[in-house]
């Protein structure tokens, strides 16, 4: 199925992932269209948090309704109310319970019933014994009935190839058009070829590499952290990722004016008060700038241009300091995570933050690679 929408609830400081699907709650003879919220720990909110067993009981009792009574009144909270006329439903309690179980598997990134059935298909195709065929039948019947047509991801054939594989030659099956049929030798040979071609296509898809490079960088690790560091005795002599910090001493020239660091250049351009600007430029070490500007007024419209200004300053830093550019280039294609306790806009803290500084460093790194790539651009 896959999870298309996400929610969560907090339990003792832990975030429990969840998702939802529409459902009807039947209360006092009326139906209420609402969200059935399903969580990774097996809890289900159906106008009250229930365990999976409790949810199953609510299904059996009709509280979570899979049958609708003609003429009954229904409503969607603060949206509309109506009466059912010739209602049609497709799910049984067992089918909906199976779908919820699959959703819990999906939330935990483990195989759901369709995945387990596909695995059983592979086992049977590798060794077509009666025992493996029965195991395949059991796995197929465990897939909620309304989801079986999706399990192969083939809307041209639906689950017909699985039915043929399970039955074998001489067994009945239902065509995609809904007609009864019997598996012939030709039909069975076709379905074996069908799965052979599917396996080949899957292997080719997984091994594919786009013409302009792989989906993910070859270099490890997949992320580089630019830590927020303080060196009371001065910055280390060797060059490492700390040189990507904006407070690292890397003189740059912008518009004919010299600045000792990117951090000081940024705030000197941002603030409106001349005395604050002088204090920013004189700050030693540069990290003291943060406390100087904490209450300072910035130029009108600064939030709308700050990303562009920072990009300009970073380009200058690495263009005018080739040794630092080499450190940035050495991060390869990895994601750059810029730690910043002051700003969740520029940096990140744990799982929070927009990490604009990391993004801009990646952009400048790409521009450096283009420059070294050669060619007439």
């Amino acid at each position: 199925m896959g999870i298309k929408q996400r929610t969560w609830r907090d339990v003792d400081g832990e975030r429990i992932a969840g998702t939802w699907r529409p459902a009807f709650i039947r209360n006092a003879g009326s139906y209420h269209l609402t969200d059935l919220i399903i969580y990774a720990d097996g809890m289900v909110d159906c106008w009250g948090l229930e365990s999976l067993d409790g949810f199953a009981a609510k299904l059996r009792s009709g509280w979570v309704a899979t049958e609708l009574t003609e003429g009954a009144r229904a409503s969607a909270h603060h949206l509309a109310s109506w009466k059912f006329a010739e209602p049609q439903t497709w799910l049984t309690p067992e089918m909906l319970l199976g779908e919820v179980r699959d959703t819990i598997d999906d939330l935990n990134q483990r195989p759901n019933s369709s995945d387990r059935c596909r695995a059983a298909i592979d086992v049977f195709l590798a060794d077509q014994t009666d025992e493996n065929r029965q195991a395949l039948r059991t796995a197929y019947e465990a897939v909620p009935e309304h989801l079986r047509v999706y399990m192969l991801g083939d809307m041209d054939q639906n689950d017909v190839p699985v039915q043929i594989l399970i039955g074998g030659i001489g067994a009945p099956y239902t065509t995609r058009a809904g007609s009864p049929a019997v598996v012939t030798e030709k039909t069975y040979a076709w379905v074996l070829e069908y799965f052979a071609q599917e396996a080949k296509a899957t292997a080719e898809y997984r091994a594919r590499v786009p013409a302009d490079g792989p989906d993910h960088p070859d270099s490890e690790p997949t992320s580089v952290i630019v830590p927020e560091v303080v060196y009371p005795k001065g910055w280390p002599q060797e060059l490492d990722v700390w040189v990507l910090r904006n407070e690292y001493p890397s003189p740059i020239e912008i518009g004919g004016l010299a600045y000792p660091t990117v951090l000081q250049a940024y705030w000197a351009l941002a603030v409106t008060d001349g005395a604050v600007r002088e204090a920013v430029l004189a700050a030693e070490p540069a990290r003291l700038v943060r406390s100087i500007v904490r209450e300072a007024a910035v130029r009108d419209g600064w939030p709308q241009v700050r990303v562009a200004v920072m990009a300009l300053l970073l380009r200058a830093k690495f263009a005018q300091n080739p040794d630092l550019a080499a450190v940035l280039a050495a991060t390869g294609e990895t994601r750059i995570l810029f730690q910043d306790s002051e700003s969740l806009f520029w940096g990140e803290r744990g799982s929070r933050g927009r990490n604009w500084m990391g993004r801009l460093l990646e952009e400048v790194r790409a521009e450096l690679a283009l420059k070294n790539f050669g060619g007439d651009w």
Side-chain angles (χ1 to χ4, degrees), residues 26-56:
R26 187 174 185 269
N27 184 29
S30 296
Y31 294 86
H32 305 271
L33 182 60
T34 187
D35 290 323
L36 197 67
I37 307 177
I38 306 155
Y39 294 102
D41 60 355
M43 302 298 286
V44 182
D45 191 339
C46 50
W47 278 19
L49 208 57
E50 296 283 354
S51 66
L52 193 57
D53 287 342
F55 171 69

Side-chain angles (χ1 to χ4, degrees), residues 51-230:
S51 66
L52 193 57
D53 287 342
F55 171 69
K58 289 291 182 73
L59 270 170
R60 290 193 298 269
S61 71
W63 172 263
V64 178
T66 55
E67 294 183 4
L68 306 176
T69 304
E70 183 165 1
R73 183 169 295 279
S75 66
H77 188 59
H78 292 323
L79 180 64
S81 64
W82 64 93
K83 285 186 178 181
F84 289 121
E86 299 183 3
Q88 299 180 41
T89 58
W90 291 270
L91 298 186
T92 65
E94 292 74 21
M95 292 161 68
L96 181 52
L97 180 60
E99 180 182 324
V100 169
R101 287 195 177 110
D102 272 0
T103 301
I104 293 169
D105 285 333
D106 292 337
L107 287 166
N108 286 283
Q109 299 182 8
R110 63 191 182 214
N112 61 26
S113 63
S114 293
D115 298 323
R116 294 190 290 271
C117 186
R118 286 191 289 266
I121 290 172
D122 293 339
V123 171
F124 175 74
L125 289 172
D127 187 11
Q128 297 183 37
T129 65
D130 290 341
E131 181 181 1
N132 287 340
R133 174 172 271 132
Q134 183 54 48
L136 172 56
R137 184 188 306 275
T138 300
Y140 174 73
E141 292 174 350
V143 178
E145 186 176 351
H146 65 299
L147 299 181
R148 291 172 190 170
V149 296
Y150 306 112
M151 60 174 299
L152 294 178
D154 185 346
M155 298 311 294
D156 291 328
Q157 301 298 336
N158 291 346
D159 58 333
V160 172
V162 189
Q163 294 181 47
I164 295 171
L165 205 61
I166 290 172
I169 298 171
Y173 73 97
T174 303
T175 68
R176 186 175 180 276
S179 304
V182 174
V183 180
T184 64
E185 290 187 6
K186 182 177 180 180
T187 306
Y188 196 75
W190 166 79
V191 85
L192 292 179
E193 178 62 20
Y194 171 90
F195 281 111
Q197 291 299 320
E198 182 192 55
K200 179 181 178 182
T202 299
E204 290 175 350
Y205 178 81
R206 290 174 177 170
R208 84 198 191 292
V209 176
D212 63 343
D215 293 337
H216 302 285
D218 293 330
S219 52
E220 295 291 342
T222 56
S223 294
V224 167
I225 294 177
V226 181
E228 194 167 21
V229 290
V230 174

Side-chain angles (χ1 to χ4, degrees), residues 7-17 39 41 49:
T7 186
W8 65 84
R9 76 182 204 282
D10 290 324
V11 180
D12 295 332
E14 179 184 0
R15 178 164 289 188
I16 307 298
Y39 294 102
D41 60 355
L49 208 57

Side-chain angles (χ1 to χ4, degrees), residues 272-332:
T272 57
D273 187 303
V276 174
R277 184 180 299 110
E278 290 181 9
V280 163
L281 293 173
E284 178 61 40
R287 68 174 183 272
L288 297 178
V289 166
R290 295 177 179 273
S291 58
I292 295 171
V293 300
R294 195 158 288 147
E295 303 296 330
V298 298
R299 295 162 62 181
D300 290 342
W302 186 257
Q304 286 71 48
V305 301
R306 57 180 170 170
V307 172
V309 170
M310 186 61 77
L312 174 72
L313 298 177
L314 290 176
R315 289 188 180 105
K317 170 180 176 176
F318 294 106
Q320 297 171 25
N321 296 274
D323 53 342
L324 307 186
V327 176
L328 177 59
T331 61

